[in-house]
Amino acid sequence: VKLFKLGEFGFIDRLKRLAPAGRGVEQGIGDDCAVIHFDARRWLLTTDTLVEGVHFRRAWDSAEGLGRKAFAVNASDIAAMGGRPRFALLSVAVPGSVAASELEGVHRGFIRAARARGCALVGGNLSSAPQWMISVTLAGEPAGAPLLRAGAHPGDALYVSGVVGAAAFGREILLRRRRASLRTTRAFLRPEPRLALGELLSRRRLASAAIDVSDGLLQDLGHLCGASGVGVVVEVNRLPLARSLRPLPRKRALELALGGGEDYELLFTVPAAKEHRTVVAARPVQSIRRIGRIVEGRGIKLVDASGQEVSAGRLGFDHFKRKIKK
Ligand SMILES: [Mg+2]
């Protein structure tokens, strides 16, 4: 079977069977980070790659900007587990024709972003390749009990941080034109990992489950619900749509917000008894919005303001199924 038929997540399901959890593994393949026990402590491990022609085009950003984004998208997975990034490995592959200053730029952007978050670059790898590839591995320490995707219960409220849809809209603008103002593309080029919020949710035991929105809100919500064995009702009128989506037709804005991906916001569930405390605690840290409720059963149900079911439309971003064309 071809990968584009199986899909990224179909393949990950195969991997889970190929790589059973070993000694010291609390959470193996299938969450935002692995949770391992080493030296009598818990550590979070995650890795992610940015590939030219798939995740970005070289003309879209500076080398520093790419380095910075590579850190952010990995740190977002640490945030989704409620941890702090501590140590990083950075592997970069570029064509041999690239200037040394550009390669240095990737590292400089990465190191600056990592240091600002208390994370040290401790190694990596360099290679030549026909196109740019930036691969990162992070080790993080959990602030409290790691926030897993499994753990949501019927009755829990579903929250999302920040706004959604801006990154996908920014990517669309970049795909259409070579250059665009950073104002419209910032959400795509400069995502901010929600580390303070993740840490708060974990340390104060407020969230029952969490995931970051990398592949699209509906897709990632599907992973959270699947891991938790629950269903969910999402009130689409409560979605915190990015301001940049306002000029768009409502249907298009919802498509970007629900299926676009790369928002790197946190999607998390909160037991009803902890909702008030969560809203109060999050206020000085990060805007959050309740967008739905976990229910018994399976699947994602979208409802409008009057409670009428609306169709889901196009779903998230699956790596082997869709690519940015060069
Ligand atoms: Mg993730």
Side-chain angles (χ1 to χ4, degrees), residues 32 77 80 149 211-212 214:
D32 293 287
D77 277 325
R149 295 176 179 181
I211 189 169
D212 68 323
S214 54

PDB file of all heavy atoms in Angstrom, residues 32 77 80 149 211-212 214, ligand 1:
ATOM      1  N   ASP A  32       2.208  13.622  22.095  1.00  0.00           N
ATOM      2  CA  ASP A  32       3.021  14.735  21.607  1.00  0.00           C
ATOM      3  C   ASP A  32       4.496  14.523  21.915  1.00  0.00           C
ATOM      4  O   ASP A  32       5.371  14.941  21.155  1.00  0.00           O
ATOM      5  CB  ASP A  32       2.536  16.052  22.209  1.00  0.00           C
ATOM      6  CG  ASP A  32       1.149  16.398  21.698  1.00  0.00           C
ATOM      7  OD1 ASP A  32       1.035  16.788  20.526  1.00  0.00           O
ATOM      8  OD2 ASP A  32       0.199  16.230  22.468  1.00  0.00           O
ATOM      9  N   ASP A  77       5.328  20.759  21.177  1.00  0.00           N
ATOM     10  CA  ASP A  77       5.005  19.409  21.660  1.00  0.00           C
ATOM     11  C   ASP A  77       5.380  19.241  23.135  1.00  0.00           C
ATOM     12  O   ASP A  77       4.703  18.517  23.871  1.00  0.00           O
ATOM     13  CB  ASP A  77       5.724  18.350  20.813  1.00  0.00           C
ATOM     14  CG  ASP A  77       4.957  18.026  19.534  1.00  0.00           C
ATOM     15  OD1 ASP A  77       3.708  18.034  19.575  1.00  0.00           O
ATOM     16  OD2 ASP A  77       5.603  17.776  18.508  1.00  0.00           O
ATOM     17  N   ALA A  80       2.599  20.923  24.989  1.00  0.00           N
ATOM     18  CA  ALA A  80       1.383  20.100  25.009  1.00  0.00           C
ATOM     19  C   ALA A  80       1.444  19.007  26.081  1.00  0.00           C
ATOM     20  O   ALA A  80       0.419  18.440  26.447  1.00  0.00           O
ATOM     21  CB  ALA A  80       1.153  19.467  23.644  1.00  0.00           C
ATOM     22  N   ARG A 149      -2.671  12.741  25.845  1.00  0.00           N
ATOM     23  CA  ARG A 149      -3.873  12.874  25.010  1.00  0.00           C
ATOM     24  C   ARG A 149      -5.016  12.067  25.616  1.00  0.00           C
ATOM     25  O   ARG A 149      -6.179  12.438  25.461  1.00  0.00           O
ATOM     26  CB  ARG A 149      -3.577  12.372  23.599  1.00  0.00           C
ATOM     27  CG  ARG A 149      -2.556  13.221  22.873  1.00  0.00           C
ATOM     28  CD  ARG A 149      -2.212  12.642  21.522  1.00  0.00           C
ATOM     29  NE  ARG A 149      -1.249  13.500  20.832  1.00  0.00           N
ATOM     30  CZ  ARG A 149      -0.782  13.257  19.613  1.00  0.00           C
ATOM     31  NH1 ARG A 149      -1.195  12.180  18.945  1.00  0.00           N
ATOM     32  NH2 ARG A 149       0.070  14.080  19.056  1.00  0.00           N
ATOM     33  N   ILE A 211      -3.265  18.401  23.727  1.00  0.00           N
ATOM     34  CA  ILE A 211      -2.536  18.163  22.486  1.00  0.00           C
ATOM     35  C   ILE A 211      -2.267  19.543  21.892  1.00  0.00           C
ATOM     36  O   ILE A 211      -2.967  20.500  22.231  1.00  0.00           O
ATOM     37  CB  ILE A 211      -3.378  17.286  21.520  1.00  0.00           C
ATOM     38  CG1 ILE A 211      -2.563  16.835  20.305  1.00  0.00           C
ATOM     39  CG2 ILE A 211      -4.644  18.004  21.061  1.00  0.00           C
ATOM     40  CD1 ILE A 211      -3.257  15.747  19.465  1.00  0.00           C
ATOM     41  N   ASP A 212      -1.259  19.679  21.043  1.00  0.00           N
ATOM     42  CA  ASP A 212      -1.096  20.971  20.372  1.00  0.00           C
ATOM     43  C   ASP A 212      -1.688  20.887  18.962  1.00  0.00           C
ATOM     44  O   ASP A 212      -1.789  19.801  18.386  1.00  0.00           O
ATOM     45  CB  ASP A 212       0.371  21.435  20.351  1.00  0.00           C
ATOM     46  CG  ASP A 212       1.254  20.568  19.466  1.00  0.00           C
ATOM     47  OD1 ASP A 212       1.041  19.343  19.432  1.00  0.00           O
ATOM     48  OD2 ASP A 212       2.166  21.119  18.827  1.00  0.00           O
ATOM     49  N   SER A 214      -1.197  21.143  15.547  1.00  0.00           N
ATOM     50  CA  SER A 214      -0.191  21.226  14.494  1.00  0.00           C
ATOM     51  C   SER A 214      -0.782  20.829  13.145  1.00  0.00           C
ATOM     52  O   SER A 214      -0.491  21.433  12.126  1.00  0.00           O
ATOM     53  CB  SER A 214       1.005  20.331  14.829  1.00  0.00           C
ATOM     54  OG  SER A 214       0.586  19.006  15.103  1.00  0.00           O
TER      55      SER A 214
HETATM   56 MG    MG B   1       1.796  17.636  18.795  1.00  0.00          MG
END
